[in-house]
Amino acid sequence: MQTELSRKLGVEHAVFGFTPFPAVAAAISRAGGFGVLGAVRYTAPDELKRDLDWIEAHAEGRPYGLDVVMPAKKVEGVTEADVEAMIPEGHRRFVRDTLARYGVPEPAEGEASGWRITGWMEQVARNQLDVAFDYPIRLLANALGSPPADVVARAHDRDVLVAALAGSVRHARKHQAAGIDVVVAQGYEAGGHTGEIATMVLTPEVVEAVDPLPVLAAGGIGSGQQVAAALALGAQGVWLGSVWLTTTEADLHSPALTRKLLAAGSGDTVRSRALTGKPARQLRTEWTDAWDGPDGPGTLPMPLQGLLVADAVSRIQKYEIDPLLGTPVGQIVGRMTSERGVQAVFDDLTRGFERAVDRVNRIAGRSGPS
């Protein structure tokens, strides 16, 4: 599963694996793919440094990258406290009432609140980059479009490729104009923030629009046959995220959530603004139903919604409140039916890819794999 881009980066398979877990990122790279560590949850530079040190020690010298969340335009002088003050009291009351209705325990006195969604703030992302550029990362990806021009230049000065996610041709062309090296065409089926165009339609559109830039296909991909289809559509690789959530190296800290993922079908996700304020595909739960229903107050725009629900989501996860328990995940969740190691996932991907290529060769009147 090699392409020009995978050869350029020195990886065996053109499989780029996004994950918030350093153990998964390292395992992806060891298996011959390209591990990409999601940085949005790191609010303290020392925490990111600790995990990049761990990847360095366990990736066996294989290449890896980092995914950040930063806006292309800077907003000066805005702090988290300033943003918190903009959240209406009615929305806070809705959160309190919903948690009480499901019996979600209050945090213990003096207990630190859960993970705060502050990685979207530009200064947090810049602090992450100050750490990351001291490591031999080969790719910097941004989940909110093209990063600021000075960040692109800083990456290029270090021979680091820059990738950006796009849900439409319009977004992809903006990335190309901004000097981005790799465009990730993320289809509607994908987990997390995603647009409205399906991967099968979006990928060839983006490939044609930004030629000769390499394009990675994302969204609904979890088998070798789908990898072959993505390459047939002109992509130079695939960007996979959801499939790693149920690997043995992942650390969800919630057996109940793992069970829900393994039991879910491809129709058990919903594209909802409940988590961050932007449409993000996730498991459908009574929490998403409450926010999306007619009796709710309506979600707030990003980043207000994320800050509003961060502590609530942490409590739901800590106490494993099953009706409310969810996570961002794509429609490929229907194929995620067992826990297995990252290497086993790659073994299945390569076997499926070979079968698909053999099938196409037979149809085309050729014998043997290409």
Side-chain angles (χ1 to χ4, degrees):
M1 297 190 290
Q2 279 206 336
T3 65
E4 182 180 349
L5 178 61
S6 66
R7 286 189 288 269
K8 181 176 183 177
L9 288 169
V11 296
E12 183 180 356
H13 304 301
V15 175
F16 294 72
F18 165 80
T19 174
F21 306 116
V24 176
I28 291 169
S29 293
R30 289 198 307 270
F34 190 97
V36 181
L37 179 67
V40 70
R41 69 191 180 98
Y42 295 98
T43 56
D46 287 348
E47 294 174 353
L48 178 59
K49 183 179 186 304
R50 176 201 64 206
D51 282 356
L52 288 176
D53 283 340
W54 196 94
I55 292 176
E56 274 290 296
H58 293 84
E60 298 180 352
R62 306 292 181 89
Y64 61 91
L66 189 76
D67 179 278
V68 298
V69 178
M70 66 188 312
K73 296 181 180 179
K74 185 174 183 178
V75 179
E76 297 282 358
V78 177
T79 67
E80 182 179 344
D82 295 329
V83 178
E84 286 267 15
M86 299 168 63
I87 297 174
E89 177 55 32
H91 283 72
R92 295 187 186 278
R93 185 168 54 252
F94 178 78
V95 171
R96 291 194 298 268
D97 292 347
T98 303
L99 296 179
R101 186 163 65 251
Y102 286 90
V104 182
E106 293 283 346
E109 184 176 353
E111 181 182 7
S113 63
W115 167 57
R116 303 290 289 166
I117 303 177
T118 55
W120 54 267
M121 298 182 72
E122 180 177 349
Q123 190 53 53
V124 173
R126 286 185 178 275
N127 291 341
Q128 294 167 350
L129 294 178
D130 289 340
V131 172
F133 282 140
D134 286 336
Y135 291 81
I137 63 171
R138 296 294 310 280
L139 178 77
L140 172 67
N142 190 39
L144 280 184
S146 306
D150 69 294
V151 172
V152 176
R154 190 178 175 190
H156 287 168
D157 286 345
R158 290 163 172 77
D159 198 29
V160 174
L161 297 182
V162 181
L165 276 64
S168 69
V169 166
R170 178 173 62 86
H171 293 153
R173 285 178 173 148
K174 284 185 175 181
H175 298 338
Q176 185 177 37
I180 300 303
D181 305 292
V182 181
V183 176
V184 181
Q186 186 181 43
Y188 172 82
E189 305 95 324
H193 294 131
T194 185
E196 300 180 349
I197 305 173
T199 305
M200 180 65 76
V201 174
L202 180 65
T203 301
E205 287 185 345
V206 171
V207 167
E208 181 177 347
V210 302
D211 183 63
L213 283 188
V215 173
L216 301 177
I221 300 172
S223 72
Q225 291 89 335
Q226 290 169 313
V227 175
L231 300 189
L233 293 173
Q236 287 203 29
V238 293
W239 178 274
L240 308 185
S242 297
V243 294
W244 316 113
L245 289 174
T246 53
T247 57
T248 53
E249 293 88 347
D251 191 9
L252 286 178
H253 299 292
S254 173
L257 180 54
T258 298
R259 288 195 299 272
K260 290 188 77 169
L261 287 169
L262 295 175
S266 56
D268 292 328
T269 69
V270 63
R271 190 166 164 268
S272 170
R273 297 177 184 268
L275 186 61
T276 68
K278 291 185 67 176
R281 186 169 297 285
Q282 54 204 280
L283 279 181
R284 182 177 180 180
T285 67
E286 293 184 28
W287 176 257
T288 61
D289 286 349
W291 280 103
D292 297 338
D295 297 330
T299 56
L300 298 171
M302 190 180 193
L304 302 182
Q305 182 72 16
L307 288 171
L308 169 65
V309 305
D311 289 342
V313 170
S314 292
R315 287 163 58 191
I316 291 166
Q317 292 176 344
K318 175 181 178 179
Y319 296 109
E320 296 190 309
I321 310 301
D322 197 83
L324 306 180
L325 188 62
T327 186
V329 70
Q331 291 179 330
I332 198 64
V333 70
R335 292 186 62 94
M336 297 156 49
T337 57
S338 64
E339 290 186 81
R340 51 187 179 155
V342 167
Q343 183 61 60
V345 174
F346 268 88
D347 291 343
D348 283 349
L349 289 173
T350 53
R351 284 193 294 264
F353 180 83
E354 290 169 356
R355 287 195 297 269
V357 171
D358 286 346
R359 185 181 306 117
V360 172
N361 279 333
R362 289 195 298 272
I363 293 171
R366 303 186 185 98
S367 60
S370 60

